[in-house]
Amino acid sequence: MNETKGILFDSVLVQELKNQFFMPNEDPRDGERLFFDNSGGSLRLQKAVEVKADLERYPDCPERDHERGLTLKAYVQEGTKELLDIVFNAKSGALMSELTASQCMFQIVDLIMDNVEGTNAVVSVLEHPSAFDAMQFHCKKHGRELRVAQANKETGRIDPDEVARLVDQNTCLVSIMSASNISGSVMDMEGIVKAVRAIKPDIYIISDAVQHAPHMIMDVETLGLDAMNFAPYKFFSVRGCGFAYVSDRVAHMPHHKIIAKDPKVFELGTPAPGNFAAMMAVVDYVCSIGKKFIASENRKELYYEGMKRIHLQERALLHYMLEGTKEIPGLRHIPGVAISADTDSVEGRDLIAGIRIEGMDVIELGEEYQRRGVTTAARAATSIYSKRIVEALGADKGLVRVSPMHCHGTEDIDKFLNITKEIATR
Ligand SMILES: Cc1ncc(COP(=O)(O)O)c(C=O)c1O
């Protein structure tokens, strides 16, 4: 097993997995296309969408004690348990659900700043606006100084030392994303937590895992985090909700809730059972991949194996996309193509490449791909979502983000590379 360069699924498994998603190869209006913008919203698992639609048909209130009400309530209870125990690996704490991951982030930052003393807070320059602006907004509201950790342009990461440099006894909160949604670089969260807690052992640390969640396991217990969030629509599931783990000490802070409910309850109003059922369908799917590789009946073990295999498949696809073959040159070998934060090793990277083609505007490049049937995401330096981040990575003219997913095969990457070569040599 060569884990450093990843391990590809065989083509039969790729096909089997692809068949479980809606529209992997075509859009009903546009026809055949490669969907390489999974970071903007992943291909949808059919079972997740179907169970959500199925449960939305019932008018029954999940708070009632009749059969249907109890069945609907069970999805919320079971889903909460699975999200905390399996998806986040939380041994304690609570689950927050909102309409989006951004809403979870703003709530959590507000809650911590409202309850924890200190004169400053630390965020990274690479954060998505949802995490960056939550820190900026609440620092202003609570009268704290916002300190911004800069990126290592070579690796696309935030170095633990850089975060530690900004932390002191008066830092109330550190917020660092688990992986960059622009370059795919995975942060050394373990190193960051260690460096920061060496300075202030009880410091609050949170992490935006929206980009990271569909690529590797989330593990709040081992990292000792106070909060972590993700968006189901980027994790094979549905739009319309965001989930977050919060630690016990955050869960016990006075927060918006129905007063008579348990102190750790965050839900306001009736949660949608379909959102929980859809994520349970994702857990089922990941377990089914795990089952191809290990003999176990333990759901958590299977989920962990499934996520590990997804990651190894994606690492192998990333390596393939960068290096290509003798016949089809990879991105590194197509003249004129530049890749952002392209470390030699593909370890510590999610399946994302931020690229440019010399002499070409990134918006134009995105349009060229679309015209040739490849959906990507142009991250222009003028966009409110990307400006700060692409500049921090040294890509002042922006880049095009290419994000396939684990159910793509090498033949999909070949198609993309051929199209890239065609555009670059025009
Ligand atoms: C890293 C990251 N964080 C947060 C978000 C926002 O997620 P949501 O749209 O669910 O609020 C995104 C969306 O692109 C993202 O990439």
Side-chain angles (χ1 to χ4, degrees):
M1 259 200 340
N2 184 359
E3 294 201 359
T4 57
K5 289 186 181 156
I7 304 169
L8 283 173
F9 290 156
D10 65 43
S11 57
V12 177
L13 180 55
V14 167
Q15 201 50 54
E16 191 186 313
L17 299 180
K18 233 186 205 185
N19 289 342
Q20 296 180 60
F21 287 86
F22 280 115
M23 303 180 279
N25 302 319
E26 74 290 308
D27 176 283
R29 193 197 56 193
D30 305 335
E32 206 175 302
R33 57 101 178 85
L34 275 178
F35 191 74
F36 277 18
D37 184 21
N38 287 277
S39 293
S42 76
L43 289 172
R44 300 287 196 270
L45 186 69
Q46 293 173 15
K47 288 230 166 90
V49 174
E50 284 161 3
V51 73
K52 163 90 175 153
D54 181 52
L55 294 179
E56 291 297 343
R57 293 179 309 139
Y58 298 102
D60 307 73
C61 175
E63 298 287 320
R64 301 287 176 269
D65 284 340
H66 62 264
E67 269 313 295
R68 182 60 68 195
L70 291 172
T71 308
L72 292 172
K73 187 178 189 159
Y75 280 109
V76 177
Q77 289 174 330
E78 264 312 294
T80 301
K81 255 204 282 187
E82 291 218 328
L83 282 164
L84 283 174
D85 176 39
I86 299 181
V87 175
F88 282 116
N89 189 31
K91 302 261 181 287
S92 55
L95 189 77
M96 175 188 283
S97 84
E98 288 286 341
L99 288 174
T100 62
S102 304
Q103 286 183 337
C104 291
M105 185 51 91
F106 268 76
Q107 283 241 44
I108 290 163
V109 173
D110 192 19
L111 194 53
I112 294 175
M113 292 238 187
D114 227 4
N115 286 277
V116 180
E117 287 185 2
T119 55
N120 71 78
V122 175
V123 72
S124 95
V125 71
L126 294 183
E127 304 300 307
H128 183 276
S130 90
F132 193 92
D133 294 4
M135 291 289 276
Q136 194 166 37
F137 180 86
H138 288 295
C139 273
K140 194 162 177 215
K141 180 175 157 191
H142 294 88
R144 311 265 160 88
E145 175 200 354
L146 181 64
R147 299 177 176 175
V148 183
Q150 298 304 307
N152 177 330
K153 289 192 177 71
E154 301 287 302
T155 63
R157 303 199 180 98
I158 304 293
D159 292 331
D161 285 356
E162 169 62 9
V163 185
R165 183 180 70 79
L166 301 173
V167 169
D168 59 31
Q169 297 310 313
N170 292 315
T171 308
C172 60
L173 175 61
V174 172
S175 175
I176 308 286
M177 70 199 319
S178 294
S180 164
N181 56 310
I182 302 288
S183 67
S185 314
V186 179
M187 304 306 156
D188 173 9
M189 283 309 297
E190 213 176 313
I192 290 170
V193 170
K194 202 166 151 210
V196 161
R197 292 238 163 93
I199 299 165
K200 189 177 179 192
D202 63 348
I203 198 163
Y204 284 73
I205 308 174
I206 63 177
S207 184
D208 170 350
V210 172
Q211 173 48 50
H212 197 45
H215 306 289
M216 271 191 217
I217 58 152
M218 292 179 276
D219 187 347
V220 296
E221 185 70 22
T222 307
L223 290 172
L225 295 181
D226 283 290
M228 185 176 244
N229 66 341
F230 77 93
Y233 75 91
K234 294 205 205 254
F235 195 176
F236 325 145
S237 187
V238 296
R239 275 195 199 271
C241 62
F243 287 111
Y245 153 84
V246 291
S247 65
D248 256 340
R249 60 180 181 165
V250 173
H252 281 102
M253 291 172 179
H255 56 264
H256 290 171
K257 65 183 271 290
I258 301 297
I259 291 168
K261 289 201 176 185
D262 185 275
K264 281 172 40 174
V265 167
F266 278 85
E267 69 204 26
L268 270 177
T270 324
N275 293 342
F276 291 81
M279 270 319 293
M280 283 160 78
V282 170
V283 173
D284 284 346
Y285 167 78
V286 175
C287 288
S288 78
I289 297 177
K291 214 161 192 153
K292 306 268 182 203
F293 296 93
I294 56 166
S296 170
E297 291 307 317
N298 180 304
R299 201 160 156 78
K300 192 161 175 177
E301 247 174 58
L302 289 172
Y303 179 82
Y304 271 54
E305 182 66 20
M307 286 308 295
K308 178 179 145 193
R309 293 292 165 173
I310 282 175
H311 184 69
L312 289 172
Q313 154 78 352
E314 291 195 333
R315 187 184 287 174
L317 287 177
L318 178 62
H319 183 258
Y320 190 93
M321 186 158 80
L322 295 171
E323 285 300 328
T325 55
K326 245 195 253 155
E327 295 73 33
I328 303 174
L331 292 174
R332 284 174 177 163
H333 306 292
I334 301 174
V337 172
I339 310 159
S340 178
D342 184 23
T343 49
D344 288 342
S345 164
V346 281
E347 287 181 283
R349 287 168 72 171
D350 287 335
L351 180 50
I352 290 183
I355 64 169
R356 285 187 48 74
I357 289 181
E358 222 173 87
M360 219 173 158
D361 174 70
V362 292
I363 303 281
E364 190 193 342
L365 177 55
E367 287 167 359
E368 283 294 331
Y369 274 126
Q370 196 69 51
R371 217 168 283 135
R372 289 167 166 80
V374 188
T375 305
T376 58
R379 313 311 294 175
T382 47
S383 150
I384 58 157
Y385 284 103
S386 350
K387 182 175 169 34
R388 168 178 34 80
I389 307 166
V390 292
E391 285 177 0
L393 290 170
D396 293 3
K397 294 181 179 149
L399 37 83
V400 166
R401 179 179 66 191
V402 182
S403 54
M405 66 178 256
H406 69 274
C407 68
H408 284 114
T410 50
E411 69 289 355
D412 297 313
I413 306 290
D414 285 345
K415 264 191 222 163
F416 164 73
L417 291 174
N418 279 328
I419 288 170
T420 304
K421 191 170 158 205
E422 194 183 298
I423 298 174
T425 51
R426 264 183 340 157

